[in-house]
Amino acid sequence: MGRMHVEVGREYNMSGLKMPNIGLGTYPMKGEQLTNAVIAALECGYRMFDTAHNYCNEDHLGNSLKIALQKTGITREEVFIQTKVGEEHWEGINDMKLFSKKEKNECKDIFAIVKDQVETSLEKLQVDYLDCVLIHFPYPDYFLEIWKALEVLHKQGTINYIGVSNCRERHLKKIIENCEIVPIVNQVEISPVNTVQSVVDFCKKNNIIVQTYSPLMPLRHKLKDNNVLLELAKKYNVAVSQIVLKWNMQNDCIPLPKSSNPERIKQNITLNFKIEDSDMLKINALNENYQSLPQSIYCPGY
Ligand code: A2P
């Protein structure tokens, strides 16, 4: 079983050994808004940018990075660019075109589809290699075939690391038991109200890094005015969003907060404090398995 070892660290190591411990989520930003966000992010220390085929902004991120790298003097090699292969549309069985079987014994050339998407990503992002490519969802009809295609593309050299997103333990087990390479990353929705502890534990045990998407989303509804978080924010003299992001990191997860606002972009990476163990437990206790985004049809249940 091949294992690609990667360390998590603030400084991105040029030899490709370290993944930054925070990244900028880019959905749904485009155009000037995205360019300004990327410049602000690079200026305050972000080195990882996350996109996806179906965010439909890979070309915009490519342009933004080109402008922002030139402006800041930061090189391509110093940034970690991550994208995802997947369906064109978000949801709906009828929207599944690329990675679904119309008939039971239909046999698609999945390698050609994945290769084409990765080549499109390279072109749109204006790069000659991608730091990491994830499978966006564990599309049930062709999950392992997509993974095996990524393994080949990784070996061919245009992708440094390969990983998955929205996977539960059973999906990860399927790859571990049937494929050559263990995913470097599983990107999932995690928040104080949705700690998904069993997935995090499984990933840790198998040396899979957990990235968290939309880490701040519940602050807009479920955790709005939550007393535990408000008290901790007061205690540590930081914003509630900073408590949530630091909690993520202290749980060994890599948060990918999206913001278009330069001040909030900076605030989200300014995390020079430590949450005491007893306070971490108070945050963990907020869990109620509440997922902010509707659960995908591609990976229902646990
Ligand atoms: P904004 O871009 O105006 O900063 P998602 O849930 O898709 O990850 O998006 C995160 C949401 O949280 C966005 O609406 C973003 O809005 C907002 N946000 C990001 N950082 C902060 C912050 N530090 N404080 C409050 N809201 C934030």
Side-chain angles (χ1 to χ4, degrees), residues 25 27-29 33 213-220 239-242 245 256-265 267-268 293:
Y27 181 78
M29 294 187 286
Q33 185 187 54
Y213 66 76
S214 296
L216 300 176
M217 189 183 274
L219 296 182
R220 281 184 285 161
V240 168
S241 49
Q242 289 169 303
L245 295 171
L256 302 171
K258 171 261 167 184
S259 179
S260 54
N261 176 303
E263 276 165 27
R264 289 194 283 275
I265 288 172
Q267 183 181 55
N268 292 345
L293 295 167

